[in-house]
Amino acid sequence: MSPPTPSSAGDATPPPISPGGTYGIQTITVGCKIYIRRPGPDGEEERLAEILSIRDKPVNAYARKSAASSGLSTPEDQWEFFVHWDSFNKRLDEWVSGSRLVLNRDLEWPRPKTAEGKKNGGPVQKAPGKAPRSLLKKATTNAAMAASPTPGPSTPMFGEYAPSPSPVPTSLKRKMRPEDEEEEEEEEEEDAEGDMDAEGEMDIDGEGEIENFELSLQESVPEPPPLSSFSKEQEIEKLRTSGSMTQSVSEIARVKNLNRLQIGKHEVDAWYFSPYPKEYAHLPILYICEFCLSFFPSPMMLSRHRLRCTLLHPPGNEIYRYEDISFYEIDGKRQLTWCRNLSLLSKCFLDHKTLYYDVTPFMYYVLARRDSTGCHMVGYFSKEKESAENYNVACILTLPQHQRHGYGKLLIEFSYELSKKEQKLGSPEKPLSDLGLLGYRAYWAETIIDLLLECPDGEISVDEIAQRTSITHADIMNTCTTLQLFKHFKGQHILCLNNAVLEKHQKNKAKRRPRIHPEYLKWKPPVFTRDQLRFGW
């Protein structure tokens, strides 16, 4: 049943609510909030979630057919819902079956929209699998009309919360209800682009430039709070619940298209959307070769590939080796396929980066651990060959199965060792992801405090800290402000280490983590000619 329409809609108007038992699964649309069963630490629990997309339950073409799965009789078995759990991080968004929806509890409908020239009445009900037009549609028109890079695959352009059904030809168009035809005619071209990306069209690769869009939404963008109102607890809570700090609105609208990845002996959940080919979308598990990073839909195809694949380490020059830790330098221009596969894999765990086709402007530095079977990738960071802003990192990632072992700080420390070799100050490309921001702040704080404690006479300037650590002045100032190290004394500002900062520093130093030993780094800064820096011409 349709929810009642309030007489006046506005920001202060509460959303319409339908009591439990008065609606069916057929009436649930994108934007509704409903309670859904999910496994918890104390057994199954019911949590509020927002519906972001609806699709028909996909059929795995590579799985063996069984009589049990041949007939799906009830709507609960036919549809799947992509949901965002209320007060949970975005990386926990997932597809759930219709049988997990709790239909005997209240359903919260989206706030009704009021626009001039539109018919009055309740919200138009959409059939499951057909997503209504998003509020972000018109705000991302400019992004959707951006020219796609060459060759072949087009850059995805998302303007709506489009459903991600099982792979079908992209030329198929959705059947529109009469109420939607008028709006569809106005934005037919944007819909065509949105449908292509919903199917999982590839937009391979490249590292990171972030596009900023001017939004014309009803809610104005709040001004950033001043430094005086900084609260670490509030920031941690924001990072925990909002996911990464993406600035691209088209990225927000993307629905995760992969479920799980098997990389070597590890099986991990995908966190975000990654533009793998549509034939691989919504498979139960995507199998990835841990050495060449090729991807396959079935374990049999992966095993056949492993019989032919001779690669046992990242395809580059080994520039650092200490114990079982190695770093490899890889030129994106020489290893196009490998670097593109790496970008696709890393996009599964990074929500703040946009993939572009060309990987040739970047150098990749891959951290690997050696054992008797080969060198297994742990993480990597990429770096522009020629950065106008003096960034020493474009994109950085530690694979989820290797996180919380100190490898993130090891990658950060290695990037600054390269900057010291280049005799430059460096900083990571902004914006950072939530985990990246916490990792960099921890490294900056540890490095600056170590340097202050090692200073014999206790006098050192910000410029000296920058020259000895290769950390930029802005990052040093922001870190000291965050730690509240600046004090005003006798008409000037000084750096003062309080007991709380020292106690936390000693606790962190007591943790054993891998460190970089500069004497084992065998590397000279690469020099590129003007012709080598002409990309895409």
Side-chain angles (χ1 to χ4, degrees):
M1 61 178 289
S2 299
T5 303
S7 57
S8 61
D11 294 339
T13 303
I17 294 179
S18 293
T22 61
Y23 60 89
I25 194 172
Q26 295 86 350
T27 61
I28 298 176
T29 62
V30 171
C32 293
K33 290 187 177 181
I34 188 174
Y35 283 88
I36 301 175
R37 286 183 287 269
R38 74 184 302 271
D42 300 325
E44 195 173 62
E45 59 182 0
E46 297 178 357
R47 282 199 170 270
L48 186 65
E50 180 182 359
I51 306 296
L52 300 183
S53 183
I54 306 173
R55 72 179 184 192
D56 294 329
K57 192 169 186 178
V59 179
N60 185 6
Y62 299 93
R64 295 181 178 179
K65 295 182 179 180
S66 60
S69 61
S70 59
L72 298 176
S73 56
T74 63
E76 290 82 359
D77 298 326
Q78 297 175 1
W79 295 323
E80 287 187 339
F81 300 82
F82 189 76
V83 301
H84 168 69
W85 302 101
D86 189 44
S87 300
F88 274 53
N89 194 288
K90 183 185 173 186
R91 66 174 61 98
L92 296 179
D93 296 358
E94 61 177 330
W95 288 99
V96 300
S97 62
S99 58
R100 292 173 58 181
L101 272 62
V102 183
L103 301 179
N104 57 1
R105 298 191 63 170
D106 291 351
L107 171 68
E108 181 180 319
W109 296 88
R111 295 180 184 273
K113 296 182 292 183
T114 58
E116 295 180 2
K118 297 294 180 180
K119 296 181 180 180
N120 295 328
V124 179
Q125 297 301 324
K126 305 276 185 175
K130 300 181 180 179
R133 191 167 308 279
S134 170
L135 291 174
L136 300 175
K137 180 67 178 180
K138 295 183 180 179
T140 56
T141 300
N142 293 335
M145 297 302 295
S148 61
T150 57
S154 60
T155 303
M157 297 166 231
F158 252 70
E160 58 179 350
Y161 283 114
S164 297
S166 54
V168 296
T170 57
S171 59
L172 295 180
K173 303 289 288 185
R174 296 178 303 197
K175 293 182 179 180
M176 302 301 297
R177 298 172 63 99
E179 298 84 4
D180 302 329
E181 290 179 355
E182 180 181 356
E183 191 174 358
E184 177 65 18
E185 290 176 358
E186 298 174 355
E187 301 178 358
E188 182 179 358
E189 185 174 355
E190 289 86 347
D191 268 354
E193 297 292 346
D195 287 345
M196 287 178 59
D197 202 16
E199 299 294 328
E201 282 291 331
M202 225 173 163
D203 81 347
I204 4 183
D205 286 60
E207 294 290 339
E209 299 174 5
I210 299 298
E211 299 182 12
N212 296 323
F213 302 99
E214 294 183 3
L215 304 182
S216 58
L217 300 179
Q218 295 178 356
E219 298 181 2
S220 59
V221 179
E223 293 292 333
L227 289 176
S228 58
S229 63
F230 174 81
S231 171
K232 184 175 181 180
E233 291 74 14
Q234 292 178 359
E235 182 179 16
I236 296 298
E237 180 66 17
K238 179 181 178 182
L239 294 178
R240 186 183 72 83
T241 58
S242 63
S244 64
M245 299 162 292
T246 178
Q247 292 183 355
S248 175
V249 179
S250 60
E251 291 293 321
I252 302 175
R254 292 188 173 177
V255 173
K256 183 170 65 176
N257 58 339
L258 298 176
N259 297 315
R260 297 181 69 84
L261 307 173
Q262 181 172 312
I263 310 171
K265 62 181 180 180
H266 302 281
E267 189 173 309
V268 298
D269 289 320
W271 292 355
Y272 306 113
F273 172 90
S274 182
Y276 278 95
K278 63 181 181 181
E279 292 80 8
Y280 300 91
H282 312 306
L283 292 173
I285 299 177
L286 183 65
Y287 298 88
I288 297 177
C289 175
E290 62 177 328
F291 295 111
C292 71
L293 304 184
S294 299
F295 41 89
F296 305 93
S298 67
M300 182 269 293
M301 298 176 69
L302 175 63
S303 61
R304 289 172 56 188
H305 164 78
R306 287 302 307 152
L307 295 176
R308 303 189 303 269
C309 182
T310 58
L311 198 61
L312 296 177
H313 59 80
N317 298 325
E318 188 178 12
I319 60 176
Y320 177 87
R321 177 185 290 188
Y322 179 77
E323 296 180 349
D324 62 340
I325 297 295
S326 293
F327 274 90
Y328 289 84
E329 181 183 55
I330 303 171
D331 190 342
K333 189 174 183 179
R334 295 185 178 182
Q335 299 292 339
L336 284 173
T337 302
W338 194 91
C339 293
R340 289 170 180 170
N341 289 338
L342 177 62
S343 298
L344 285 174
L345 174 61
S346 61
K347 186 62 183 71
C348 292
F349 311 106
L350 295 173
D351 193 37
H352 67 295
K353 293 292 182 182
T354 301
L355 291 184
Y356 292 96
Y357 188 82
D358 200 6
V359 298
T360 55
F362 298 92
M363 299 293 293
Y364 294 81
Y365 296 90
V366 180
L367 167 62
R369 288 192 61 183
R370 299 189 317 277
D371 60 16
S372 58
T373 60
C375 294
H376 309 275
M377 187 179 73
V378 173
Y380 84 101
F381 68 88
S382 60
K383 182 177 181 179
E384 289 181 281
K385 294 178 180 178
E386 191 71 25
S387 175
E389 294 82 5
N390 287 329
Y391 290 138
N392 64 353
V393 166
C395 181
I396 185 169
L397 171 72
T398 304
L399 293 177
Q401 63 267 30
H402 300 293
Q403 290 180 1
R404 304 191 66 82
H405 290 87
Y407 294 119
K409 281 188 179 180
L410 191 69
L411 287 166
I412 296 172
E413 186 178 358
F414 189 79
S415 69
Y416 280 103
E417 288 297 331
L418 298 186
S419 296
K420 293 176 184 177
K421 287 277 188 177
E422 295 174 320
Q423 297 181 354
K424 295 180 180 178
L425 303 184
S427 180
E429 184 176 306
K430 311 301 189 299
L432 292 167
S433 66
D434 51 353
L435 299 179
L437 176 63
L438 296 177
Y440 264 98
R441 278 189 174 167
Y443 171 79
W444 289 333
E446 180 179 335
T447 304
I448 293 172
I449 295 174
D450 276 339
L451 193 58
L452 293 176
L453 293 176
E454 293 173 2
C455 188
D457 53 359
E459 294 185 2
I460 188 171
S461 65
V462 172
D463 187 64
E464 291 179 45
I465 296 176
Q467 296 300 325
R468 294 176 62 175
T469 62
S470 289
I471 303 175
T472 62
H473 297 77
D475 292 334
I476 294 174
M477 297 290 289
N478 290 334
T479 303
C480 293
T481 303
T482 302
L483 297 177
Q484 299 179 352
L485 300 184
F486 286 121
K487 303 296 181 183
H488 193 73
F489 180 73
K490 292 185 179 180
Q492 61 180 356
H493 287 87
I494 63 172
L495 290 173
C496 179
L497 297 176
N498 54 53
N499 293 333
V501 171
L502 289 175
E503 182 180 350
K504 184 177 180 181
H505 178 71
Q506 294 298 331
K507 188 178 298 183
N508 291 333
K509 293 291 288 186
K511 299 178 182 178
R512 297 185 59 185
R513 70 171 182 88
R515 303 298 296 261
I516 293 295
H517 299 268
E519 62 272 16
Y520 292 93
L521 175 60
K522 310 299 180 184
W523 181 78
K524 289 184 178 180
V527 179
F528 301 97
T529 64
R530 181 174 298 181
D531 291 337
Q532 291 174 325
L533 294 175
R534 288 180 179 176
F535 308 113
W537 293 90

